[in-house]
């Protein structure tokens, strides 16, 4: 499982958070996505690689500015 944290500027309200979450869910096979306009970040939990360039282009096209992009491997409690 991967945890991707995207620093994102331009979200002003919960409506913006929902737009970002919906766009990501529709574009990529994610387990969970949450956005916070207060923290200026979006957190994605996924099993697949999501290319930074692709998601940056998508979010920029929606009018947001990507400030950072980090990926960390989350360890499973119970291996498959």
């Amino acid at each position: 499982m991967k945890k991707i944290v995207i620093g994102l500027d331009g979200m002003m309200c919960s409506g913006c958070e929902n737009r970002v979450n919906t766009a990501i869910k529709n574009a990529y096979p994610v387990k969970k996505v949450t956005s916070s306009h207060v923290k200026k970040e979006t957190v994605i939990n996924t099993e697949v690689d999501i290319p930074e360039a692709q998601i940056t282009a998508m979010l920029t096209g929606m009018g947001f500015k990507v400030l950072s992009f980090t990926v960390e491997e989350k360890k499973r409690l119970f291996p498959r």
Side-chain angles (χ1 to χ4, degrees):
M1 181 76 76
K2 296 173 188 351
K3 177 181 176 183
I4 301 170
V5 180
I6 302 169
L8 198 58
D9 193 24
M11 289 188 293
M12 302 295 180
C13 62
S14 60
C16 295
E17 295 169 355
N18 290 333
R19 279 184 53 223
V20 169
N21 293 345
T22 300
I24 291 170
K25 286 178 187 176
N26 288 337
Y28 303 100
V30 299
K31 296 287 184 183
K32 182 178 179 184
V33 59
T34 56
S35 296
S36 170
H37 70 280
V38 175
K39 293 181 182 179
K40 294 187 176 185
E41 73 176 16
T42 294
V43 179
I44 303 167
N45 292 319
T46 183
E47 299 274 349
V48 301
D49 290 324
I50 297 177
E52 180 178 355
Q54 283 182 0
I55 200 158
T56 297
M58 181 183 76
L59 294 170
T60 301
M62 293 173 64
F64 301 105
K65 181 177 180 183
V66 175
L67 304 172
S68 62
F69 185 95
T70 58
V71 180
E72 67 182 59
E73 290 288 331
K74 292 177 68 176
K75 296 186 183 208
R76 295 184 179 277
L77 291 175
F78 304 102
R80 291 183 181 177

